[in-house]
Amino acid sequence: MSSNTPRQPVRDLRFFLTVPHACSYLEGREATTLFLDPQESPGRGVYDALALLGFRRSGRHLYRPHCEGCSACISVRIPVADFVASRNQRRLARRNADLSLHVRPAIFDSEHYTLYAHYIRTRHADGDMYPPSHEQYRTFLTLDQDYARLLEFRLEGRLVAVAAYDQLEHGLSAIYTFFDPDPVLDRRSLGTFAVLSLVERARDLGLPHVYLGYWIRECRKMNYKQAFQPLEILDGRHWRRTLPV
């Protein structure tokens, strides 16, 4: 069966729409979110099917944008077998060769939270995740499901980054990455290196895709996703290859 077709029917599931709210990415726009009934457990089968339709996970919620008159949010994924790292990405991988990587379950860890809180306060004090809190972190990045993972990046034992991701049947879904905002580490581009690491992990696991969430052309914060080529976008119910940028 093609990975473009959900393996499990989703027509019997219940979905809800949020009331319109301020868009987090485009100033002056309103957004509406379609989400799976919270009483439905985001189990692997349902999640696998909905991910192919552009749904993402935040905590226990599976959702996707459903905004009237706007289709700016485009689901994107990297086809692992065809991905070729650019010269800059290869240089970045060599620069971070001294980091050790460790996979952990998506459970609360005080060391992770300390890094997360520092990252949010330093890099996203003007965003909707500020101020950070233990409850916010738990509901966003922890989940008692075997597919939910945290990838640690350590430099001589020091925690410098954590990438939250889900291991699905047809790929890895990147949820969120936070890292040490110390300027000394800027040259490492830890956010980009986290994506490269997920690509390598997917390749090792024999998984065909790495899902990067949504890309918005007008949002500068999402420009980095275009650096991973080739890239596939969700066009309606079908994934298609984009042209290199």
Side-chain angles (χ1 to χ4, degrees):
M1 180 176 292
S2 167
S3 63
N4 286 339
T5 305
R7 295 186 58 187
Q8 178 172 335
V10 297
R11 60 180 177 273
D12 296 329
L13 299 174
R14 292 204 308 168
F15 296 86
F16 297 92
L17 284 174
T18 65
V19 297
H21 53 277
C23 179
S24 299
Y25 302 107
L26 299 177
E27 187 175 354
R29 303 275 189 95
E30 282 193 335
T32 306
T33 304
L34 178 71
F35 63 96
L36 178 66
D37 184 348
Q39 295 186 14
E40 291 276 357
S41 173
R44 186 182 294 275
V46 168
Y47 190 1
D48 283 331
L50 291 179
L52 289 172
L53 298 175
F55 278 75
R56 300 279 293 158
R57 181 179 69 82
S58 177
R60 293 187 54 81
H61 298 287
L62 296 180
Y63 72 94
R64 76 176 184 189
H66 191 82
C67 305
E68 184 176 355
C70 180
S71 56
C73 292
I74 300 173
S75 296
V76 294
R77 70 185 185 185
I78 302 170
V80 171
D82 295 334
F83 172 72
V84 178
S86 67
R87 179 181 300 177
N88 286 339
Q89 289 166 342
R90 293 195 299 271
R91 184 182 300 116
L92 182 62
R94 292 192 297 269
R95 192 175 296 155
N96 286 289
D98 56 344
L99 298 184
S100 59
L101 280 60
H102 309 272
V103 177
R104 299 284 185 256
I107 60 177
F108 183 84
D109 182 285
S110 59
E111 185 182 20
H112 294 174
Y113 174 73
T114 298
L115 180 61
Y116 169 82
H118 182 42
Y119 173 76
I120 295 297
R121 292 189 183 107
T122 304
R123 292 292 184 96
H124 298 288
D126 59 344
D128 54 12
M129 291 192 294
Y130 181 87
S133 68
H134 284 81
E135 181 181 5
Q136 174 211 57
Y137 178 86
R138 289 178 186 275
T139 58
F140 178 31
L141 294 178
T142 67
L143 184 69
D144 186 20
Q145 291 281 354
D146 63 356
Y147 58 72
R149 314 284 171 85
L150 298 173
L151 182 60
E152 293 181 343
F153 299 79
R154 292 184 178 273
L155 176 62
E156 299 178 348
R158 169 190 172 190
L159 183 68
V160 294
V162 177
Y165 72 96
D166 292 334
Q167 184 171 323
L168 304 178
E169 181 180 86
H170 44 78
L172 301 182
S173 179
I175 304 298
Y176 193 72
T177 297
F178 54 95
F179 51 84
D180 191 333
D182 186 343
V184 173
L185 299 173
D186 283 351
R187 292 183 68 253
R188 292 180 176 271
S189 299
L190 291 169
T192 296
F193 181 64
V195 176
L196 293 173
S197 300
L198 290 180
V199 171
E200 287 305 309
R201 181 157 184 80
R203 184 173 285 134
D204 291 344
L205 293 170
L207 297 173
H209 301 105
V210 171
Y211 292 80
L212 296 183
Y214 305 114
W215 172 71
I216 300 175
R217 185 181 300 276
E218 296 88 351
C219 183
R220 293 178 58 190
K221 292 181 180 179
M222 296 186 179
N223 286 348
Y224 75 93
K225 298 182 183 183
Q226 299 176 77
F228 298 91
Q229 293 293 333
L231 202 61
E232 295 179 349
I233 67 171
L234 182 60
D235 185 3
R237 294 175 63 91
H238 302 282
W239 292 89
R240 64 177 176 83
R241 190 71 55 90
T242 65
L243 295 175
V245 295

